[in-house]
Amino acid sequence: MKLKHLSILTALLLSSLLLFAKDYQYNEKNGIRTFHQGSMFVKEGVPFLTVKGDSYEMGLQYGVLMNDQIMEMQVKVDSVVETYVGKFFLKKWIANMVLKSKIRKIEKRMPEEFIKELEGIAEGCDLNLRQVKTIAYFPQIFFEISCTSFVMKNKNGIVHGRNLDWPSIETFTKFPLIVNYHRKEKIPNTILTFVCYPGAYTGMNHNGLSMSINTNGCPIPEGKEESDYVTDMPMPFQLRYVMENADELSEVDEMFNNYSTHGWFITVGSNKDQSGAMYELTRGKYIKNKMQDNYIGVTNLAVSEKGRYEYSSINMHGEFNLTREDKLKELNQNISNNNLVDKAYQMVSSTAYYELPHDTSWGCSINNDITVKSCIMDNTRQKIYFAYGEMLAGCNQFLEYDIATQDVSVYREKQTIPDEDYLKNKLAYRKWFRQNYSGKKKLEREDYQSLIAQCKKYNLQPAYQYNLLSRYYANIDDKEQAYKYAKMYVDDLPQFGAAYHTQYVIFNYFKDYEKAIESLQIMLDKAHNTTADFFYAKCDILRLYDKMQTQSPNPENIHQMKKLNREIKELCKPFYPAKWVKSEIEKIDAMIAKYQ
């Protein structure tokens, strides 16, 4: 009797499971998956997905056709969360609570159409809705982007180039995705994205309107919160909304006119207008910069006078923004305009840093150590050219995708990275360092001795090696060797401010203040300097004079401090007085007041 009851219970359980199980199957023929009106194929390791219908139906097709990739992505997202918070249960529980809170805040600003799309994805794949939302919002919650975008035209057409610089999401580059969205009664658009991320950081609609996002680091005014300005849908979803509803710049103007957010630059190319523009979205308002001389470009610094000065603090005028901006202008001027796609390719793949073939710093070249996606959108011919990679994506194999025919071919083979052997050894050295020292809060003498030995063992780029060795030797109080390598760094790169700054750090460490001042003054005379460089250097020199005055009183030290204080304040005048800048000025004033 018991066995009979157990059999009945088992049958009921199985029938209920079958009743509620997802029973969606795609068809596959000649490497193309189809489900309802959707389709997906993989070429050169990249999935190309097309979804059609209302929001929920597009999501359902997405979930069914991309289920395998979504499940793989889920594993990667979990591993990234563990990297940030650890495997300890309580930490993961707290992290999940924080994540849920952040997702709720985002969803308050999300239009229903995009919520329905996520619900469709969850219905079609083997994840639940919470898991889908976690992946979909994860990049936006945890990571900030720093990018390069430009639009160019000639008599034959218009193209839109773009590099996505996004640190700490290297693992996601293994999940590239091109999606063609055909929302019912809307303009179809093509988005260059990652698996299970439905927002658009880069894309073009099928009428030739292209859009890309760059971060705008303008500070929030004192007394205000970001939430005072960020009241509409998240920017990556706003881009999809605009591309689904606009095909000319005047329509983009209207959609941004009633949209409130903070901290973005949006570059737009329009085939219909045969022109482009860059929109600065700051403090709930926008400033439109029109294309000039067949070109408009942006890194992470405003183009307009108002955005560049009234909204931007002095630190934003540093190498990180200006070297890329200057190189873009230089390449645009020096490369022939005859073939715009080829010209754009030369620009987005450029690793040059001033006169050097490769960036010696971090993120200061157009194609750099945090470039994870590089692309060109041909607005006139409805083609996109793109490459993904964990770093220096612009040097990877570029694919050509014809949106109309869905043909995919290789546009450019992977190119040799300048100083590739140096780069490989730098990465190997950094990996060794992380494995051995990333968990240590304080390094001991023997640790620095080990670092010195390994630094000499790897075939590192000379200037990079000299920089490391000078600092390592300083930490074991070997003044002679620290000075030696700091000088070699300067001798190797006499026009680069970073070399002089390292030398200043070493001299300051050993309380050799006169030499430290001399090093910074030579930097200001000889090196490539930005406005931010002048600001930081003059502040450092002023502090050095204060130390000299304490060490050996001299009226000339006080005179120099007062002179530098006036120069620093004059430097800051054109820029937005950020809270930290005002605090810095107050500290300097207090320092000088001691000698009144």
Side-chain angles (χ1 to χ4, degrees):
M1 193 71 175
K2 288 182 179 180
L3 185 61
K4 183 177 179 181
H5 287 160
L6 182 62
S7 299
I8 294 170
L9 183 62
T10 302
L12 287 170
L13 180 61
L14 286 173
S15 63
S16 66
L17 287 172
L18 289 171
L19 182 65
F20 293 105
K22 299 174 183 178
D23 189 23
Y24 299 111
Q25 297 291 327
Y26 58 77
N27 296 313
E28 186 161 357
K29 185 177 181 181
N30 299 325
I32 301 175
R33 293 180 182 180
T34 57
F35 175 76
H36 293 184
Q37 297 183 75
S39 63
M40 192 275 283
F41 65 90
V42 178
K43 193 74 178 284
E44 299 289 340
V46 179
F48 293 81
L49 172 69
T50 298
V51 292
K52 299 179 180 181
D54 61 25
S55 298
Y56 184 85
E57 176 62 23
M58 287 197 304
L60 180 64
Q61 294 164 23
Y62 192 132
V64 172
L65 294 169
M66 295 295 297
N67 182 56
D68 299 343
Q69 290 86 348
I70 291 171
M71 297 305 295
E72 290 179 30
M73 178 63 108
Q74 165 72 3
V75 174
K76 289 294 182 183
V77 169
D78 276 350
S79 70
V80 173
V81 170
E82 286 189 355
T83 300
Y84 273 82
V85 302
K87 296 182 180 181
F88 184 53
F89 171 78
L90 183 59
K91 283 187 175 181
K92 289 190 74 174
W93 181 81
I94 293 170
N96 280 324
M97 291 300 100
V98 172
L99 193 60
K100 286 178 183 177
S101 174
K102 288 180 178 289
I103 287 173
R104 283 195 295 270
K105 287 179 181 178
I106 289 175
E107 293 221 306
K108 287 179 181 177
R109 300 185 283 117
M110 285 283 283
E112 184 67 17
E113 62 207 69
F114 294 119
I115 299 292
K116 288 292 184 186
E117 203 173 293
L118 293 174
E119 290 173 355
I121 292 174
E123 175 65 19
C125 75
D126 291 333
L127 298 181
N128 61 41
L129 182 56
R130 183 187 65 79
Q131 291 170 315
V132 167
K133 287 180 177 179
T134 298
I135 301 175
Y137 299 140
F138 188 76
Q140 189 168 322
I141 290 171
F142 284 97
F143 307 112
E144 293 185 0
I145 63 172
S146 169
C147 312
T148 299
S149 297
F150 59 88
V151 177
M152 304 182 299
K153 72 170 185 175
N154 62 14
K155 62 182 180 181
N156 298 316
I158 184 167
V159 301
H160 184 155
R162 184 282 196 291
N163 276 359
L164 177 66
D165 298 343
W166 204 342
S168 303
I169 67 155
E170 291 82 5
T171 188
F172 293 172
T173 64
K174 296 179 175 64
F175 298 89
L177 177 64
I178 310 300
V179 188
N180 299 300
Y181 289 101
H182 293 256
R183 194 185 302 278
K184 188 177 181 181
E185 298 179 353
K186 298 293 183 181
I187 302 170
N189 58 82
T190 298
I191 306 300
L192 295 93
T193 185
F194 303 96
V195 169
C196 209
Y197 182 69
Y201 282 94
T202 314
M204 178 169 64
N205 74 21
H206 296 190
N207 290 350
L209 184 88
S210 59
M211 303 186 79
S212 61
I213 298 177
N214 288 35
T215 297
N216 168 358
C218 293
I220 299 289
E222 288 184 55
K224 292 286 187 178
E225 300 291 337
E226 189 170 338
S227 57
D228 294 330
Y229 305 109
V230 182
T231 57
D232 283 315
M233 76 176 89
M235 175 52 68
F237 295 92
Q238 171 73 2
L239 251 66
R240 278 189 58 191
Y241 174 80
V242 173
M243 286 187 285
E244 288 180 342
N245 293 281
D247 59 6
E248 57 184 88
L249 294 173
S250 61
E251 294 171 329
V252 177
D253 294 348
E254 291 175 16
M255 292 178 191
F256 281 144
N257 191 47
N258 297 311
Y259 177 76
S260 182
T261 190
H262 174 78
W264 298 105
F265 298 136
I266 310 300
T267 307
V268 183
S270 167
N271 182 54
K272 189 170 182 179
D273 294 292
Q274 278 297 289
S275 188
M278 194 279 283
Y279 296 81
E280 301 171 14
L281 287 88
T282 314
R283 304 179 188 176
K285 304 291 183 181
Y286 83 85
I287 298 171
K288 180 181 180 181
N289 300 277
K290 297 180 180 179
M291 177 179 277
Q292 302 290 331
D293 300 322
N294 299 329
Y295 170 84
I296 184 77
V298 66
T299 53
N300 295 98
L301 181 63
V303 173
S304 72
E305 286 291 306
K306 184 171 185 176
R308 206 170 180 90
Y309 298 103
E310 186 177 329
Y311 290 157
S312 300
S313 54
I314 195 168
N315 63 299
M316 294 171 65
H317 293 251
E319 275 192 347
F320 186 68
N321 292 325
L322 290 177
T323 51
R324 288 177 292 139
E325 181 181 81
D326 290 345
K327 185 59 68 173
L328 276 177
K329 291 176 181 176
E330 175 191 321
L331 293 172
N332 177 53
Q333 184 176 353
N334 293 343
I335 302 173
S336 169
N337 226 31
N338 292 335
N339 185 330
L340 286 181
V341 172
D342 180 67
K343 179 176 180 175
Y345 172 74
Q346 292 183 61
M347 292 168 72
V348 297
S349 63
S350 172
T351 60
Y353 175 72
Y354 292 116
E355 298 87 1
L356 297 179
H358 194 282
D359 185 3
T360 60
S361 190
W362 182 82
C364 291
S365 58
I366 297 169
N367 177 31
N368 58 67
D369 285 6
I370 56 172
T371 302
V372 296
K373 181 176 71 183
S374 185
C375 75
I376 304 153
M377 295 174 282
D378 188 334
N379 306 66
T380 306
R381 293 162 189 80
Q382 285 291 284
K383 293 184 178 183
I384 59 174
Y385 305 80
F386 66 92
Y388 286 77
E390 293 186 40
M391 60 187 303
L392 295 158
C395 290
N396 281 355
Q397 182 188 67
F398 257 72
L399 298 181
E400 175 182 341
Y401 176 52
D402 188 312
I403 293 171
T405 65
Q406 298 223 350
D407 290 336
V408 180
S409 59
V410 175
Y411 173 67
R412 288 283 194 279
E413 294 292 352
K414 182 176 181 179
Q415 61 172 284
T416 301
I417 298 171
D419 298 336
E420 186 163 14
D421 188 53
Y422 286 147
L423 177 64
K424 287 178 180 177
N425 277 275
K426 181 171 77 171
L427 295 176
Y429 175 76
R430 286 179 176 176
K431 182 179 180 182
W432 172 85
F433 181 90
R434 286 195 304 273
Q435 290 173 342
N436 290 276
Y437 295 105
S438 61
K440 277 199 169 187
K441 291 183 179 179
K442 183 180 178 181
L443 301 186
E444 305 296 336
R445 184 180 181 85
E446 56 268 26
D447 294 323
Y448 285 110
Q449 289 172 333
S450 176
L451 287 167
I452 289 167
Q454 289 294 323
C455 187
K456 290 180 176 179
K457 174 183 173 182
Y458 285 90
N459 181 28
L460 300 174
Q461 197 268 345
Y464 180 68
Q465 185 184 61
Y466 301 152
N467 181 27
L468 293 177
L469 288 173
S470 64
R471 294 170 185 267
Y472 294 158
Y473 275 114
N475 277 283
I476 60 171
D477 293 321
D478 189 332
K479 183 176 178 179
E480 181 181 347
Q481 290 297 310
Y483 280 23
K484 169 189 166 183
Y485 283 105
K487 183 179 183 303
M488 290 171 72
Y489 187 12
V490 169
D491 289 344
D492 193 62
L493 296 176
Q495 290 181 291
F496 294 86
Y500 295 97
H501 189 269
T502 290
Q503 194 175 54
Y504 143 72
V505 169
I506 301 302
F507 288 146
N508 185 42
Y509 178 80
F510 288 106
K511 296 181 172 56
D512 200 339
Y513 302 132
E514 286 189 15
K515 285 186 177 178
I517 290 171
E518 181 184 4
S519 182
L520 289 174
Q521 286 175 335
I522 294 173
M523 180 192 88
L524 295 179
D525 290 338
K526 289 188 175 182
H528 295 289
N529 295 304
T530 66
T531 306
D533 293 328
F534 277 100
F535 173 77
Y536 289 124
K538 287 179 182 290
C539 288
D540 288 333
I541 293 171
L542 191 151
R543 291 190 187 92
L544 289 166
Y545 274 116
D546 180 54
K547 290 178 180 180
M548 285 177 62
Q549 183 66 9
T550 303
Q551 192 180 64
S552 180
N554 186 330
E556 180 60 22
N557 295 333
I558 300 171
H559 170 73
Q560 291 296 333
M561 290 172 68
K562 290 180 177 179
K563 177 174 174 288
L564 284 162
N565 191 23
R566 290 193 296 271
E567 292 173 358
I568 290 166
K569 288 177 178 177
E570 196 64 30
L571 268 175
C572 293
K573 273 184 180 178
F575 306 102
Y576 176 73
K579 187 175 180 180
W580 73 270
V581 176
K582 290 193 286 188
S583 175
E584 194 76 2
I585 298 296
E586 288 170 3
K587 290 175 185 176
I588 289 171
D589 285 340
M591 195 181 298
I592 293 172
K594 295 183 302 184
Y595 306 110
Q596 300 297 344

